[in-house]
Amino acid sequence: MIDLFYMQELPVAVMGLGKSGLATARALRDSGAEVRVWDDNPASRAAAEAEGFAVVDLATADLSDLTTIVWSPGIPHTFPKPHPVAQRARALGIELICDIELLGRAERDCAFIGITGTNGKSTTTTLVGHILAAAGRKAAVGGNLGTPVLTFDPIGSGNTCVLEMSSYQLELTHSITFDIAVLLNITPDHLARHGGMDGYIAAKKLIFHRQTWPRTAVIGVDDEHCRTIHADLVAAGDQRIWPISARGPVAGGVYAADGWLVDDTDGEAARVVELSALPTLLGAHNWQNAAAAFATCKAAGLPVPAIVAAMATFPGLAHRQQLVGTLDGVRFVNDSKATNADATEKALATFDPIYWILGGQAKDTGLNGLEGYMGRVRHAFLIGEAQEQFAAWLDAQGVGYTRCGTLDVATAKAAGMALAERLEGSCVLLSPACASWDQFANFEKRGDAFAAYVAGIIDAHGNTGDGTSGGVA
């Protein structure tokens, strides 16, 4: 656990007692701080009280001796409406920070790599961590990815901290200057939380906060917003800048072209690996992730052969185009992490034909932008709150669908149709384009349920009959 020695004997509050919030409270207490905690959820308060924490309603308690509240990034503190505790804190001059800021203040001597973007940041963060570990580098990997950063073992000088950074976390992290900062892409998401698109873009740009030479900015240039940021960085000239692209050559960067990953950071446009040799990085979106990870690890000083060798052994990311089983040539792919249309687009562009399971709690953008992929969809299977909304959208696209309601029914019906039709290359794809909260606690639970249903279908069928694996991958 990270030692927050500088907080010893200081009063500090923790607002929000989820996984990271509780980890923060524990780290503070173990470091000798005087800790008060609060969560609007009674069950979360009870869990904290059971661990012996002082549960104090921060909306009404005396906060005059506090200088810091460690804030759960998921709780609104500005838009669309600031939480009352945030309003009180700001009126009293109390700083709001997240757990990653505490980490940065405690670990000033390690190297920091920060990775953000609307989509792909979890895969890229995991891939960078995998490459560093394979090359023998000590690296702590976490942040928005799921591992609370204050549960890390002490990191220290000469080692690396690889952090997936959400826009929420970037707004609450002030002192870390990333040695290597990665911005993959920007598409509309979380707009209500940032007061619109301009606020969202501004939050993402914070990944490059205070970077100076020889620090490195790795930035995707496949969308208009990031191209504008790239141009601004180049004009400022404050740091080394390596552009990346999944769509073709970019001078001085890393890109995918003609089926290869190409490194032009030294001006030599050298082919480094054939993309088909990276089986867990299928599709153009993953080519961007591969380019970003390659550039990041090269900037970190790893030799190219070591980077390429490690990329080829990457196991992939759970719940992101994860192959969970194959039966009679039909692939079953868990893409539960695709909680918006832009993320689902990546999966729809990768597979064909598709028996598509979708639905849940819809985002504001719905299925907009997916029209061009409907020729790949053999049939759609609808679940959750968005069922009727998505049915109307599919009607307009001329795509056949079945209302299934729940994921178990959808998985069974999709598998039945795919196995009956036996089309070459077919894929039963869970890529919901929705949040999971109407039926599942999170996208991980949704993906795990899908994998379990697939395992049951495969077990019921026994051997595949075509030499492919009948088990769960």
Side-chain angles (χ1 to χ4, degrees):
M1 181 173 286
I2 298 295
D3 184 3
L4 304 176
F5 55 91
Y6 58 91
M7 298 297 293
Q8 187 173 4
E9 297 184 1
L10 292 178
V12 60
V14 177
M15 178 66 186
L17 296 171
K19 188 176 179 181
S20 292
L22 271 177
T24 298
R26 294 180 190 121
L28 286 164
R29 181 173 62 185
D30 290 351
S31 300
E34 178 195 321
V35 186
R36 307 161 200 174
V37 304
W38 183 257
D39 193 296
D40 291 336
N41 185 328
S44 298
R45 296 198 298 269
E49 198 165 27
E51 290 195 33
F53 288 108
V55 177
V56 176
D57 187 350
L58 301 178
T60 58
D62 180 8
L63 306 182
S64 60
D65 63 336
L66 291 180
T67 59
T68 301
I69 296 179
V70 186
W71 195 265
S72 169
I75 303 172
H77 56 90
T78 51
F79 300 101
K81 181 181 179 181
H83 192 283
V85 173
Q87 292 178 306
R88 285 195 75 206
R90 290 201 169 101
L92 292 167
I94 299 170
E95 67 171 355
L96 300 184
I97 61 173
C98 69
D99 58 334
I100 293 174
E101 174 65 15
L102 290 177
L103 171 72
R105 295 178 185 183
E107 293 284 352
R108 297 185 180 275
D109 297 326
C110 73
F112 280 97
I113 296 173
I115 298 167
T116 196
T118 305
N119 295 298
K121 55 187 178 290
S122 294
T123 297
T124 303
T125 302
T126 307
L127 178 56
V128 168
H130 172 78
I131 295 169
L132 290 171
R137 293 277 188 95
K138 181 181 177 182
V141 183
N144 192 60
L145 189 63
T147 302
V149 297
L150 297 180
T151 64
F152 290 166
D153 291 332
I155 302 166
S157 177
N159 300 313
T160 306
C161 186
V162 186
L163 300 175
E164 178 187 327
M165 298 293 294
S166 71
S167 56
Y168 303 165
Q169 290 167 324
L170 285 166
E171 288 186 325
L172 295 166
T173 302
H174 311 304
S175 67
I176 294 177
T177 301
F178 290 106
D179 297 280
I180 305 169
V182 182
L183 173 58
L184 296 166
N185 47 63
I186 295 178
T187 55
D189 201 14
H190 307 305
L191 300 190
R193 269 294 302 268
H194 295 288
M197 194 66 191
D198 288 346
Y200 182 54
I201 293 169
K204 288 297 189 187
K205 284 180 67 175
L206 291 171
I207 196 79
F208 303 118
H209 180 57
R210 292 197 309 234
Q211 272 199 316
T212 55
W213 287 88
R215 296 182 176 94
T216 303
V218 175
I219 181 166
V221 293
D222 290 341
D223 66 84
E224 181 181 350
H225 303 299
C226 285
R227 283 193 293 271
T228 298
I229 295 171
H230 173 259
D232 292 343
L233 293 177
V234 170
D238 290 332
Q239 71 273 76
R240 179 170 64 175
I241 303 163
W242 285 354
I244 58 166
S245 176
R247 298 179 180 174
V250 286
V254 180
Y255 57 87
D258 301 322
W260 285 81
L261 190 66
V262 180
D263 175 16
D264 192 47
T265 58
D266 299 321
E268 298 178 357
R271 289 182 169 185
V272 293
V273 64
E274 198 165 8
L275 290 162
S276 62
L278 307 175
T280 58
L281 295 167
L282 299 174
H285 65 293
N286 272 322
W287 300 346
Q288 186 186 55
N289 298 335
F294 179 92
T296 299
C297 292
K298 184 174 182 181
L302 297 187
V304 169
I307 298 171
V308 171
M311 290 172 73
T313 63
F314 179 54
L317 188 68
H319 310 294
R320 195 70 181 100
Q321 289 190 31
Q322 176 190 16
L323 180 67
V324 295
T326 304
L327 181 61
D328 287 351
V330 176
R331 292 170 292 177
F332 293 82
V333 174
N334 167 23
D335 195 40
S336 183
K337 198 174 190 299
T339 59
N340 58 45
D342 193 65
T344 288
E345 178 186 12
K346 311 304 187 296
L348 296 179
T350 302
F351 304 100
D352 187 12
I354 298 167
Y355 299 82
W356 183 22
I357 302 173
L358 70 160
Q361 204 169 76
K363 298 290 182 72
D364 292 343
T365 51
L367 299 177
N368 293 341
L370 301 182
E371 294 84 356
Y373 299 95
M374 291 305 99
R376 295 169 173 257
V377 176
R378 184 72 177 173
H379 197 83
F381 301 84
L382 298 169
I383 63 173
E385 287 180 8
Q387 184 167 260
E388 294 307 318
Q389 176 186 338
F390 286 2
W393 188 91
L394 291 165
D395 275 332
Q397 306 305 316
V399 176
Y401 58 85
T402 300
R403 292 179 176 86
C404 300
T406 57
L407 182 56
D408 56 338
V409 175
T411 305
K413 288 185 178 296
M417 185 177 292
L419 292 168
E421 295 186 346
R422 291 176 178 265
L423 299 176
E424 184 178 356
S426 59
C427 173
V428 172
L429 173 67
L430 170 66
S431 191
C434 281
S436 60
W437 300 315
D438 56 335
Q439 294 182 338
F440 296 93
N442 49 52
F443 72 81
E444 294 96 339
K445 296 291 187 183
R446 179 171 61 188
D448 289 342
F450 175 71
Y453 299 145
V454 170
I457 291 167
I458 290 173
D459 287 345
H461 279 73
N463 292 327
T464 65
D466 67 352
T468 61
S469 171
V472 175

